Amino acid sequence: MKTFVNPDRKDWKFICSRPEDDHSEIENRVLEIIRKVQAYGDAALLEFSEKFDGVKLHQLKVTEEEIRNAGNAVSADLKRAIAMAKENIHRFHEAQKESPVKIETRSGVEVWRKSVAIEKVGFYIPGGTAPLFSSILMLAVPASIAGVKEMILCTPPGKDGEVHPAVLYTASVCGIKHIFKTGGAQAIAAMAYGTETIPAVYKIFGPGNRYVTFAKQYVGRKDVAIDMPAGPSEVAVFTDGTGNPDFIAADLLSQAEHGTDSQVVLVSTNKEIMEEVLEALHKQKESLPRKSLVEGALSESRMVYFGNADTAMEFLNEYAPEHLIIASSQPDQYEDKIVNAGSVFLGNFSPEAAGDYASGTNHTLPTNGYAKAYSGVSLDTFVKKITFQKISREGLSQLSKAIEMMADAEGLDAHKNAVTIRLKQ
Amino acid sequence: MKTFVNPDRKDWKFICSRPEDDHSEIENRVLEIIRKVQAYGDAALLEFSEKFDGVKLHQLKVTEEEIRNAGNAVSADLKRAIAMAKENIHRFHEAQKESPVKIETRSGVEVWRKSVAIEKVGFYIPGGTAPLFSSILMLAVPASIAGVKEMILCTPPGKDGEVHPAVLYTASVCGIKHIFKTGGAQAIAAMAYGTETIPAVYKIFGPGNRYVTFAKQYVGRKDVAIDMPAGPSEVAVFTDGTGNPDFIAADLLSQAEHGTDSQVVLVSTNKEIMEEVLEALHKQKESLPRKSLVEGALSESRMVYFGNADTAMEFLNEYAPEHLIIASSQPDQYEDKIVNAGSVFLGNFSPEAAGDYASGTNHTLPTNGYAKAYSGVSLDTFVKKITFQKISREGLSQLSKAIEMMADAEGLDAHKNAVTIRLKQ
């Protein structure tokens, strides 16, 4: 880890910078994939599966039998764990429901806003060695609460043509009926534009590699909505010296194991604890199966000392971490100073892993500094908030002068006339 | 207007299609502009102003004196109109405030969500003959309620180097202190990446032409947040025969006058009223100064008859209009059937013009069918909703088995360890 001591404000931007992801080399390859899916549909998807997943599929859609078999392959313990996580995620997101509040801005001018579910959404779940079934809970549970009618899921098959049982089982308990074996940029293209088998959706969600990320950004420009721009996962831990170095090291490592491009940052107002965390890191990482990934990520990571806690919090707001852990026995004093973060973990017994899986908060969060302008996935992400107004003749007469004056000043006579003609009657 | 009678469902997609906007020809020009602003900053902006606005500026920033002069140039009547609109917009958006709701998903596991303002936002207001000062109210009022610290505004100068007084006056009463004379794609690039004079912001808002729209889509992919993808304005009017044909015609014309690319759609379950609306359209448009724009827009527009109101509402949900007017004396019966729309105007005395200016709802709305997945601008658009959690030792022990099981199944040992190490203590 690189260490900085009381860095000058002009250097913050550099210290906060994430590794630049140069898309240009993959850009053309992704565009080519998207165009092929648009032109050839399912045939293109099957060809890409052979090429990238190493398997010749006969059909894209997962069968009911495969889903039943997956249910049998998942242990009772894991099923209980998934059920508990699902329940907590449900409780947290259920509390985000809003009822329309009707107000009268003037007598006879009733205005309100109503949340209405997005009708069709698509989830992408990456394949590979770590089957991220927890992301299905984070997407499908709020989508169901919102009232989404059609949820589909795309995920790449393994070399045996199968999808991991935990993925199929979780999708099935979340009520997802349409699961397709396709991955990468081609899956994003399929959900954006539709194929013979895969229906086009209105919004696409979920994590993925650089191909998936770029494909989402591309289709998200104007063809379909996406959850948020994405980048590698990251955590920042702040400690004032009342944190526990072993816990902090464990949290940093749990982020670092996501991949060599994961970023972890430790900010502290106490030099001793920084040393202790470093020692604990070296000790703990030895026993991790993903040790090489972890070491790659740590080599790119940063430790920053500040003499002053307020400055440290300002620095963290500039960094705008996806996850922010306040490792302190008195964490409440920092809460109101946090302006830019995806999700915040307060105190020594709130590890990021709790929010990743089971405490109820969502783990689909803005990375790469996007927390300055983006929120994580929530119930809001699955609804449109439609505004309504109902104006009486009397209400309109109260607004009429203002509307007519403003329309006139903007040179829009027909706007003015739409009011005038009503009140002339 | 093209007329369709009980169109077959397979033709809905075609009838609902908007004119395709081919970006490819302007794409390279916009990218060139963006690159120049990134490389040369203010110098590039001044050069583009000479080229596109036809004026050699000496400074980009509007002076305090210019703002004072603008205040004197705006009539007392228009000031009163702006004040009334501002007050109504304030009331509607103020009611959208949320207080954090803390819940315990398990005993000792406290989770909540807090709205925190985006710190820096930028507004783009187009120039030209119609100064859209009303859009400033629609953006700056909710931004102020949200608690945004830094609002900047970019707008192109006229050939005389000045900005329209109504724009400067409105910006000033909305508390916008930094106004810059720059327009088009170059203004979007300046707000996205910053120049010597113009600070970079975290989110960019506002309407614009195709250059502005494409520039926003480009910078919005991953460099800065934007309000929403944009397209030409549009209205759909539904009437069951209890609407007033003169009012309906006036509403269609008030949309059509925005430009030849505006789209208006009339859907009805009553053939007589469709005829009457057509007649009224022809009569009313004769007296409009923007008659040629209106005729252009109308020639591309559609009238659709359905024998059945439910089918008509389904069609409208497929169209997903920016504005939807329910021209009926009994509009409430349709409210719950509306799934996809930006803003809905219920009844015969609720013209779109009311929401465009003064009833309090926001007029920055999703066009081009984006209402299927996007909401209009609201208080939400100016905040991030940050999640928090505070877990006690006892709370963590309740979650621990679920977290450990799931982390294990996802192959993430360090995640598991972050919990285990805490409970071992």
Side-chain angles (χ1 to χ4, degrees), chain B residues 152-260:
Chain B
I152 66 169
L153 188 149
C154 288
T155 190
K159 282 200 194 321
D160 57 356
E162 301 295 321
V163 174
H164 194 286
V167 168
L168 294 185
Y169 172 76
T170 309
S172 147
V173 297
C174 288
I176 300 173
K177 290 190 176 59
H178 307 287
I179 307 170
F180 303 99
K181 295 176 186 173
T182 180
Q186 59 273 25
I188 303 304
M191 292 193 279
Y193 306 109
T195 69
E196 301 91 320
T197 304
I198 302 180
V201 298
Y202 299 156
K203 193 166 185 176
I204 297 174
F205 297 77
N209 62 17
R210 298 161 70 214
Y211 290 83
V212 169
T213 297
F214 179 70
K216 278 174 68 185
Q217 285 172 2
Y218 180 81
V219 302
R221 288 193 319 175
K222 61 190 180 71
D223 297 334
V224 64
I226 63 168
D227 45 2
M228 67 190 85
S233 194
E234 61 200 24
V235 71
V237 179
F238 169 77
T239 183
D240 53 11
T242 66
N244 177 313
D246 288 328
F247 300 176
I248 294 171
D251 290 337
L252 295 175
L253 290 171
S254 77
Q255 189 57 55
E257 77 173 335
H258 276 298
T260 51

Side-chain angles (χ1 to χ4, degrees), chain A residues 23 77-78 81 84-85 87-88 91-92 96 98 103 105-106 111-114 116 118-119 130-134 137 202 214 217 221-222 225 229 244 246-247 250-251 253-254 257-258 284 288-290 332 335-336 339-346 348-351 353-359 361 370-375 378 380 384-391 393 396 398-399 401-403 405-407 409-415 417-418 421-422 425, chain B residues 23 77-78 81 84-85 87-88 91-92 96 98 103 105-106 111-114 116 118-119 130-134 137 202 214 217 221-222 225 229 244 246-247 250-251 253-254 257-258 284 289-290 332 335-336 339-346 348-351 353-359 361 370-375 378 380 384-391 393 396 398-399 401-403 405-407 409-415 417-418 421-422 425:
Chain A
H23 273 132
D77 272 353
L78 184 55
M84 193 213 207
E87 202 175 300
N88 290 351
R91 282 181 192 162
F92 182 60
Q96 295 167 10
E98 283 171 32
I103 65 163
T105 49
R106 301 280 152 172
V111 289
W112 66 101
R113 196 167 71 132
K114 195 162 81 171
V116 181
I118 297 173
E119 290 172 290
L132 300 180
F133 58 89
S134 60
L137 295 173
Y202 299 156
F214 179 71
Q217 286 173 0
R221 289 193 318 174
K222 59 191 183 69
N244 178 313
D246 288 329
F247 299 178
D251 290 336
L253 290 171
S254 77
E257 78 173 336
H258 276 298
Q284 288 183 30
L288 291 174
R290 290 178 167 233
D332 297 353
E335 189 194 326
D336 282 341
V339 180
N340 298 321
S343 194
V344 183
F345 300 77
L346 295 170
N348 291 323
F349 286 89
S350 305
D356 286 343
Y357 290 112
S359 65
T361 58
Y370 295 129
K372 288 178 177 172
Y374 287 88
S375 312
S378 72
D380 295 340
K384 300 97 52 180
K385 297 187 181 176
I386 305 177
T387 52
F388 287 82
Q389 58 206 287
K390 192 176 171 189
I391 306 178
R393 196 182 193 289
L396 188 61
Q398 292 205 53
L399 300 177
K401 199 168 171 202
I403 299 171
M405 282 299 305
M406 291 172 77
E410 289 193 351
L412 296 172
D413 292 73
H415 280 65
N417 191 47
I421 202 169
R422 281 173 163 90
Q425 274 233 331
Chain B
H23 273 131
D77 272 354
L78 184 55
M84 194 213 206
E87 201 175 300
N88 291 351
R91 282 181 193 162
F92 182 59
Q96 294 167 11
E98 283 172 31
I103 65 164
T105 49
R106 299 281 153 173
V111 289
W112 66 102
R113 196 168 71 132
K114 195 161 81 171
V116 180
I118 297 173
E119 291 172 289
L132 301 181
F133 58 88
S134 60
L137 296 173
Y202 299 156
F214 179 70
Q217 285 172 2
R221 288 193 319 175
K222 61 190 180 71
N244 177 313
D246 288 328
F247 300 176
D251 290 337
L253 290 171
S254 77
E257 77 173 335
H258 276 298
Q284 289 182 29
R290 290 177 166 234
D332 297 353
E335 190 194 324
D336 282 342
V339 180
N340 298 320
S343 194
V344 183
F345 299 77
L346 295 171
N348 291 323
F349 286 89
S350 305
D356 286 343
Y357 290 113
S359 64
T361 58
Y370 295 128
K372 287 177 178 171
Y374 288 88
S375 311
S378 72
D380 294 341
K384 299 96 52 179
K385 299 188 181 175
I386 306 177
T387 51
F388 286 81
Q389 58 206 288
K390 192 175 171 189
I391 306 177
R393 196 182 193 289
L396 188 62
Q398 291 205 56
L399 300 177
K401 197 165 175 206
I403 299 171
M405 281 301 302
M406 290 171 78
E410 288 193 352
L412 297 171
D413 293 72
H415 280 66
N417 191 46
I421 201 170
R422 280 174 163 89
Q425 275 234 330

Side-chain angles (χ1 to χ4, degrees), chain A residues 161-183:
Chain A
E162 300 296 322
V163 175
H164 195 286
V167 168
L168 293 184
Y169 172 75
T170 309
S172 143
V173 295
C174 288
I176 300 172
K177 292 191 175 59
H178 307 288
I179 307 170
F180 303 99
K181 296 176 187 173
T182 179

Side-chain angles (χ1 to χ4, degrees), chain A residues 75 94 106 218 235 251 311 323 408:
Chain A
S75 74
E94 175 90 4
R106 301 280 152 172
Y218 180 82
V235 72
D251 290 336
T311 315
H323 306 96
D408 195 52

Side-chain angles (χ1 to χ4, degrees), chain B residues 51-71:
Chain B
K51 190 171 167 187
F52 297 128
D53 307 321
V55 58
K56 209 175 162 73
L57 295 175
H58 299 289
Q59 76 171 56
L60 292 162
K61 191 165 179 186
V62 172
T63 64
E64 284 180 32
E65 198 195 338
E66 287 176 295
I67 295 173
R68 265 197 310 277
N69 291 344

